[in-house]
Amino acid sequence: MQDVLSCRFNNLDIGTIKQYHMHSSVSTYGFGLCSIDATATENTTLMSNWVFNVTEESLNNLRRCTEDINPECRQTNYLVVKVIRLTMQELGQLMDLDPDFKVLYLVRDPRGTVRSQNQLGEFDWTILNNYTKSFCERVRSDIHVSKTVFHKFPHRVMQVRYEDIIENPIARTQQLYGFINLEFTPPVKEYIWNITFAGNQDDCNICTTRKNATETAYAWRKVLSFDEVNLIQSHCSDVMKHFGYRPFDQKELSDFKISSYYQVKR
């Protein structure tokens, strides 16, 4: 992460350099194409995270790709990275190293998160009990560490609840832009609406364009049985309470007039 934030792409491992999201960003699209060409003889696919049997020639070609993106990266006014597995402990260390580094700490209802991670193949549903225990233990650890991080960097960390963004994407996105001192322009506003509620076809499970973002966010209430929901609630009760999520009984689960979270006064 420190190499990414410091625009030192030449220090990254090949798996990261070849990661398929490199081809999805406007700012890294050229680099993504260069990395494909550099290892074209390796018979890799666009969605592959790893390059096997890498030759010295392909390594030299990849180094030439980084020679172009490193200076371009350093000239940008803002560098934005989305990460999923980074811990609050690691974030705190990065913030110590860079006074300009800010964090948007995104949280989601554990019931929706666990269901989503199963959809993406993170775990087999037969081990739901053990996986949920482990997942909420990690979140619990982040909560503990985040208290120190929030206290140490009060103006550089912003906690954002996924459901709050879904319920009011325009207003919440405007707040996020204000936090990082970016102008919330009309084109950005239009884009946010188009990917959340404009009725566009959903791209895929891990993509951001949604036909109806609210329906996607709360799909777990229709898909999971009460026993499954209750199991997640039992292991994550303190985590849910900390972030303001409401536990359900069997009748409440299917009553969509009852919100899955408590309103936060702002």
Side-chain angles (χ1 to χ4, degrees), residues 192-203:
I192 296 300
W193 178 256
N194 284 338
I195 66 170
T196 52
F197 289 102
N200 295 321
Q201 188 62 39
D202 292 7
D203 289 338

Side-chain angles (χ1 to χ4, degrees), residues 113-147:
T113 301
V114 169
R115 188 253 176 176
S116 177
Q117 291 180 349
N118 172 252
Q119 277 189 302
L120 298 177
E122 288 288 321
F123 71 99
D124 188 280
W125 202 250
T126 58
I127 62 167
L128 174 63
N129 184 63
N130 290 336
Y131 183 84
T132 303
K133 282 183 180 180
S134 175
F135 167 73
C136 278
E137 184 56 41
R138 294 199 304 271
V139 178
R140 198 171 289 118
S141 176
D142 270 349
I143 291 173
H144 176 72
V145 176
S146 69
K147 294 177 183 178

